[in-house]
Amino acid sequence: QVQLLESGGGLVQAGGSLRLSCAASGRTFGSYAMGWFRQVPGKEREFVAAITWTGDNTYYADSVKGRFTISRVNAEDTVYLQMNNLKPEDTAVYYCAARPAPRDSYFTSAPLYNSWGQGTQVTVSS
């Protein structure tokens, strides 16, 4: 498994932006499909965005499409989540996740990932 560490969370006003980072270590990052999820207390972990290990294909939840962008730099073992036009309903703990995958595969279901970071809090005030 790969070890993951998120950073970049914080408090922002509605309409603002944040960029989350997820640094990976321990395995060959370039062969891992990556995803971002979020969770609020009392609710299940929710899919946000996913990216193939080449970075050629991405997929987004409808709630963030057009506002969030997932990207990766394999040479830096890092995946990013750029979040623009943030809304109070985006408030959550954000987690990155990884799993070994074929070249063009991405995953939107949390149980399919086998490595998780510890999470970073994002709070959007109205």
Side-chain angles (χ1 to χ4, degrees):
Q1 292 184 350
V2 64
Q3 288 76 50
L4 304 173
L5 182 64
E6 302 97 335
S7 61
L11 173 64
V12 64
Q13 288 188 334
S17 298
L18 283 174
R19 188 176 80 156
L20 306 183
S21 300
C22 175
S25 62
R27 290 288 186 176
T28 304
F29 176 73
S31 62
Y32 279 70
M34 302 294 295
W36 283 98
F37 290 77
R38 64 188 183 187
Q39 190 170 23
V40 298
K43 293 191 176 181
E44 291 188 355
R45 198 160 291 190
E46 174 190 25
F47 169 74
V48 174
I51 189 167
T52 57
W53 68 256
T54 62
D56 291 341
N57 293 296
T58 57
Y59 191 79
Y60 298 92
D62 288 343
S63 59
V64 306
K65 201 172 294 183
R67 299 188 297 122
F68 290 11
T69 303
I70 187 172
S71 62
R72 65 190 296 163
V73 180
N74 287 343
E76 298 176 359
D77 292 341
T78 303
V79 63
Y80 300 97
L81 185 68
Q82 177 66 44
M83 306 186 295
N84 298 329
N85 191 22
L86 282 161
K87 304 176 180 180
E89 52 264 42
D90 295 319
T91 295
V93 177
Y94 283 71
Y95 298 89
C96 68
R99 64 159 285 162
R103 179 183 180 91
D104 296 321
S105 295
Y106 58 82
F107 307 93
T108 62
S109 176
L112 294 178
Y113 289 88
N114 58 9
S115 296
W116 291 86
Q118 85 293 341
T120 186
Q121 176 71 46
V122 171
T123 303
V124 184
S125 64
S126 57

